[in-house]
Amino acid sequence: MKRIAILATNGFEESELKSPKEAMEKEGFNVEIVSLKNGEIKGWANGNWSNSYKVDKTLNEVKAEDYNALVLPGGVINPDLLRREEIALDFVRDFFKLKKPVAAICHAPWTLISAGVVKGRKMTSFNSIKDDLINAGANWVDQEVVVDEGFVTSRNPDDLPAFNSKLIEEIKEGKHEMQHA
């Protein structure tokens, strides 16, 4: 059975965690929310704090080797908190080193910039962080979903149907030899 990590902390965009999680679970994947601390993390929806979600594992309990793929939801607060934590950046980098699928939506690429894994990659994001990605060496494009050798990115919650479908396709394909940091 495929085991997938969703890396998130407080302030994640709720739909960007809930929708991929449900889509992957429907495929029979075992999906775990991985975070900085035990307990619950609080989502963000329509400009306000929203529902809480149970953390399945903390970063100090897991390694990229334990999972088939990594999903990074957006939200403004969530990636800004994650990118300050070396343990989160190492976890992200290891998925790229192991050539496993990684999917990121909206503001999540902020964490990827800090992890140093976007240079030379074709990708998209929420339009306000386009400059950050270009400055970090990414080949930024404005498309609902971009797939670059197992690396899946989308712009915003409206892109979730396309994001989910590509993400599931990449997980089913497994490792991508060309996936790299």
Side-chain angles (χ1 to χ4, degrees), residues 2 30 45 49 52 55 62 64 71 96 119 171:
K2 304 272 190 189
N30 173 16
W49 290 103
S52 292
V55 172
V62 296
V71 179
F96 285 88
K119 192 172 183 186
I171 293 169

Side-chain angles (χ1 to χ4, degrees), residues 61-131:
E61 297 175 306
V62 296
K63 334 187 267 307
E65 284 84 350
D66 302 335
Y67 297 98
N68 296 95
L70 173 65
V71 179
L72 298 162
V76 177
I77 300 165
N78 160 59
D80 189 61
L81 292 172
L82 288 174
R83 72 191 303 192
R84 304 173 202 188
E85 304 292 335
E86 201 54 44
I87 190 171
L89 301 179
D90 282 338
F91 185 64
V92 168
R93 281 183 203 114
D94 286 346
F95 278 89
F96 285 88
K97 285 182 191 149
L98 294 166
K99 306 186 184 304
K100 293 181 175 186
V102 174
I105 186 166
C106 200
H107 287 79
W110 266 346
T111 306
L112 300 174
I113 290 170
S114 296
V117 294
V118 302
K119 192 172 183 186
R121 301 307 299 260
K122 183 180 179 189
M123 61 188 296
T124 193
S125 69
F126 193 73
N127 61 7
S128 70
I129 67 165
K130 165 185 164 181
D131 294 344

Side-chain angles (χ1 to χ4, degrees), residues 8-29:
T9 188
N10 291 313
F12 61 90
E13 183 66 41
E14 185 172 10
S15 62
E16 295 171 0
L17 182 146
K18 189 174 183 234
S19 167
K21 186 174 192 290
E22 287 172 355
M24 290 187 287
E25 285 171 344
K26 210 192 251 164
E27 289 293 324
F29 301 164

